Amino acid sequence: MAPGPVVDRTAQNVERVSQDLRSVYSSGKTKSVEWRVSQLKSLLRITTHYEKDILEALRSDLNKPELEAFSHEVYGVSSSCELALKELHRWMMPEKVKTSMINFPSTGEIVSEPLGVVLVISTWNYPFKLSLDPVIGAIAAGNAVVLKPSEVAPATSSLMSNLLGEYMDPSAVKVVEGGVPETTALLEQKWDKIFYTGNSKIGRIILTAAAKHLTPVVLELGGKCPVVVDSNIDLKVAARRIISGKWACNSGQTCVSPDYIVTTKEYALKLVDALSCELENFYGKDPLLSNDLSSIINSRHFDRLTKLLDDEKVSGKVVIGGQRDRDKLKIAPTVLLDVSQDSLVMNEEIFGPLLPIVTVAKIEESIGLINTKEKPLAAYMFTNDKKLKEEFIRSVSAGGMCINEIALHLAEHTLPFGGVGESGMGAYHGKFSFDAFSHKKPVLQRGFNGDVAARYPPYTPWKLKFLKAMLSGNILSILRALIGW
Amino acid sequence: MEEGFEGLSQSLSGLKRTFRSGKTRGVEWRKAQLRALLKFLAENEAQIFEALKQDLGKHPIGVVKKSADHALLHIQKWMAPKRANYHYFCFHQELKYCQNHWALYLYLDPGISPSHQHARLCLNAQSLFIWTSAVKVIEGGSDVAEQLLQQRWDKIFFTGSPRVGRIIMSAAAKHLTPVTLELGGKCPVILDSFSGSDFKVAVKRIAGGKWGPCAGQACIGIDYVLVQQNLAPVLVESLKSCIKKFYGENVKTLQSICRIVNKHHFDRIRNLLEEPGVAASIVYGGSMDQDNLMIEPTILLDPPLDAQIMTEEIFGPLLPIVTLDKIEESIDFINERPKPLAIYAFTKNKKLKDQILQETSSGSVTFNDAIIQFICDTLPFGGIGQSGFGRYHGKYSFDTFSHEKAVLHRTFFPEFEPRYPPWNDFKLDFIRLAYNLDYVGLLLLLLGLRRIFTPNRSR
């Protein structure tokens, strides 16, 4: 970390950024439809015109294959922009509500207004998408926004800083690059909302900082996402989808990637065979040579993952993979079978290409096992058993769920994406992003006619009777009160 | 006091066990609890009124009953999973999100020392709930609250001051517990000019909105009034005559108005009037009866803007009137201060209404009335900025204590090959075209003709 004066300058810079944004927001500029549309169009232009640069930056930061980078990140952002542009007018429209008899005559509506100046703190595994998706929501809702991309993905951070600086309105959309000192300085400021994607340890720091200013937050955290694999299913398809959601998503470095599998003792070997066969189809005999597998982000995480593999409690449990190359920061897709609950790999979010399988005697026991752990961001089940599926949905609490699929619920903008418990709070995607950055302000309009004397003092028993009748909404009671019955 | 510190952990474990048993999830259990609450309200009405009278000198009303009735009527609808539309090109999907509710929530009320009646009522309330293992009342002051905050909850719902709201949120941060904070603020009235009988109604509603809710001790109660200078004298006179008619003239014999909750708050409010310049701005009232903790409705005209009475939430029966050259200046006045829980604007001027809606920010806005938004179940109730975050009432209460869980259902057929490695240009092209729903392009690609027809793809 740099010495004192640089830290002070950071704090001053950040304070100035916050103040500048606040005065621009107060001018009302970001509230207009025209401004929001122009900014969304600029973001879309960046995503389409600079696709090649974005893919290169992602390859540089994460060794991310082009198909992953395109479909998860570039397409993800451009489709969010297009959706927001298409739906913005409808999202911005006030929602009319019915008002009750006690307020008669009146009209009610709920108006969406921006929160003000918001802070988006992003992460390194999907550095483009997880930075810009929340920014799209913030802009669509009419806020001024500061984006703090992750310093762990420097090429993407720098690219976004340059492109947003060039194409967006710099008075209302700012990128502050940097690491811990910059983030700390940002958290000292007062924001109208903080949107954070990352881990639960930092999530707590963010929430504590937000508490000083009573700032509401969205925390998109992680967790150990379980996959329950029942028998009597199309095992080949299930294996392919598990692989796709695990290793074809940034080598398992994804908040919604399968973290561990639960299946019956009888079925486990069949599953291992299916995974082994499809892994070879996807990545070849030596996966470390495949160009379609992302690397581990840095040596710190590489060492963290190899420590999990070298834990003596899992020795002898590796049934697929286990190869590693520290120079290239690559670990082969690795499956472990029958790991014990007290091993390291079962007690922290793996966030990498290791997939333990835990076995149970009966598949129904998987639900109890999952519920002994913290609530994950996602939970998955492969089954054709309707009763088991319903029990799973009813009994397991998770941010979101897929049945017979992995992670695809993120792609549906009509579904809210967010965590619960340790996996976070709040949600976004699609209109939920707009709502996350809006204040839904109720507006009640009354006229002066029909003023009810019963509401004013001096209070009498008759007035009480009448008011109770009005609150009940029961016409008969109201009539009886009126005639003094 | 039922619990004490020692019983607290046991109570909490008991609650968790009950939740995990699944008993609280069924609609029948929920309806049974709501019916039990209604029964409690009906059978104990007189005692409730007596307890409120003892604590606050309050007059009875039936809002809790209305909320319970509303919930009972709608609960099944609220619980049903919602289907979401999909347009993604994967077939055979169903999207739902369903309510999966919180295990445990902690509802904290600001600590006011309970009367004996209050304590007895709490115990009665608790005993009427069918599953007392799932609903508990824990009484006490800040020491008990601190103990409660050290525990891990799935949600905390707090109503009270911003100062304590910060403490609650910081404590919640340790466990990543989401919170709803219903705080306060200085709720202003913007009073425009208009004539005759409508003005009289407006003044009645302002008086009712100031001194009606608990003598001003309400988060949504009117805090101060903004009015154009030329209107101030007639406003003051009209308010005076309203006060005399509603409440009486002598502080010792006031009717239909609450007292101040305790000596601490009585002294706090009295101190507001003792700042330099503030007492001099009193144009009506100011008398106090310390023995009965009564403060008469008091009007002040243009007290100093930097005095505490104008910088802090009054939460009492003092009503400052601030005069402006033009009523439109009220917008800047409000924006220079923390966002309030509610703005009340009495005006028929559409342009002013639009300006207020677009240029100010508050928990809610009510035109031509005050307080009444509280009983409209279709409108969310909550704050923004210093006045809090989160919301409740009606279905919003249900939602506040629920997790909306997205569930995607898929079948094993059909499969989409290009999503699987090893990847190549064909698969990348296919995905691009499929995502853009470019069916012609897809056809050309599949026929191997796309490269002939595709323009040169450069930046």
Side-chain angles (χ1 to χ4, degrees), chain B residues 64-90:
Chain B
V64 176
K65 179 180 178 311
K66 183 175 153 312
S67 300
D69 277 332
H70 184 83
L72 207 49
L73 189 60
H74 293 284
I75 184 118
Q76 218 141 356
K77 194 164 61 120
W78 294 348
M79 281 172 70
K82 271 185 268 195
R83 247 169 224 280
N85 294 326
Y86 66 89
H87 70 9
Y88 198 63
F89 63 86
C90 287

Side-chain angles (χ1 to χ4, degrees), chain A residues 31 49-51 53 65-68 70-71 75 95 97-100 102-103 108-110 113 115 192 200 203-204 207-208 210-216 219 221 233-234 237-238 240-241 244 248 281-283 292 374-375 382-384 389 393-405 408-409 411-416 418-422 425 432 439-449 451 455-459 464 467-468 471, chain B residues 25 45 59-63 66 84-88 90 93 95-98 100 102 152 154 162 165-166 169-170 173-178 181 183 194 198 201-202 204-205 212 245-247 256 339 346 348 353 356-370 372-373 375-376 378-380 383-386 389 391 396 403-412 414-415 417-423 427-428 431-432 435-436 459:
Chain A
K31 293 186 187 183
H49 287 206
Y50 290 91
E51 185 187 298
D53 301 81
E66 277 70 23
L67 195 133
E68 268 189 54
F70 171 77
S71 57
Y75 173 74
E95 180 194 335
V97 302
K98 275 192 337 201
T99 53
S100 54
I102 192 79
N103 287 321
E109 60 180 9
I110 301 170
E113 70 174 29
L115 292 168
D192 296 303
S200 58
R204 282 169 168 80
L207 197 49
T208 307
K212 295 195 191 77
H213 298 289
L214 291 172
T215 299
L219 299 178
L221 309 177
I233 56 167
D234 187 330
V237 170
R240 298 173 107 205
R241 288 179 183 177
S244 171
N281 287 340
F282 291 179
Y283 301 112
D292 292 334
E374 294 292 347
K375 297 178 187 184
F382 286 88
T383 185
N384 280 319
K389 174 177 85 168
I393 293 171
R394 190 174 42 239
S395 310
V396 172
S397 185
M401 286 185 159
C402 291
I403 306 295
N404 302 331
E405 187 52 86
L408 232 54
H409 61 301
E412 283 298 334
H413 67 83
T414 48
L415 287 174
V420 63
E422 277 291 298
M425 56 183 80
F432 301 99
H439 168 50
K440 300 289 180 175
K441 183 164 75 179
V443 179
L444 185 71
Q445 300 242 20
R446 291 213 68 201
F448 292 98
N449 299 324
D451 200 36
R455 62 187 274 196
Y456 302 113
Y459 300 127
L464 175 58
L467 274 176
K468 274 174 151 184
L471 282 169
Chain B
R25 289 173 194 250
E45 193 181 83
H59 271 80
I61 199 71
V63 178
K66 183 175 153 312
N85 294 326
Y86 66 89
H87 70 9
Y88 198 63
C90 287
Q93 292 197 139
L95 286 78
K96 289 186 197 167
Y97 50 104
C98 54
N100 207 347
W102 304 103
R152 184 181 176 185
D154 295 304
R166 285 180 175 81
M169 197 172 161
S170 302
K174 296 193 192 77
H175 299 291
L176 288 173
T177 300
L181 300 178
L183 309 177
F194 40 87
D198 288 348
V201 172
K204 274 194 341 187
R205 288 178 180 178
K245 188 170 151 212
F246 287 177
Y247 309 112
S256 301
K339 298 177 186 185
F346 290 82
K348 291 181 178 180
K353 280 189 189 180
I356 291 166
L357 277 180
Q358 279 152 33
E359 295 176 31
T360 65
S361 182
S362 55
S364 67
V365 175
T366 300
F367 288 111
N368 302 327
D369 212 327
I372 204 110
Q373 75 277 18
I375 48 178
C376 187
T378 48
L379 289 176
I384 179 153
Q386 293 291 295
F389 54 80
R391 53 203 190 158
Y396 299 102
H403 166 53
E404 284 199 322
K405 183 167 74 182
V407 183
L408 180 81
H409 295 254
R410 283 211 70 199
T411 53
F412 289 96
E415 265 287 79
E417 282 301 320
R419 67 188 273 204
Y420 302 118
W423 292 311
K427 285 183 177 177
L428 186 51
I431 281 186
R432 274 185 211 283
Y435 280 11
N436 290 323
R459 206 200 304 161

Side-chain angles (χ1 to χ4, degrees), chain B residues 288-345:
Chain B
M288 308 195 183
D289 175 1
Q290 190 166 307
D291 297 330
N292 293 313
L293 295 178
M294 290 296 285
I295 298 179
E296 71 168 321
T298 300
I299 306 172
L300 305 94
L301 187 57
D302 283 323
L305 292 180
D306 57 357
Q308 269 195 310
I309 197 173
M310 285 308 298
T311 57
E312 289 188 10
E313 190 177 358
I314 296 167
F315 221 73
L318 317 178
L319 180 66
I321 296 174
V322 175
T323 59
L324 306 165
D325 292 331
K326 287 196 307 190
I327 196 60
E328 286 77 10
E329 289 165 20
S330 55
I331 292 184
D332 282 342
F333 189 95
I334 290 170
N335 284 343
E336 282 158 13
R337 288 159 175 79
K339 298 177 186 185
L341 191 51
I343 290 177
Y344 303 112

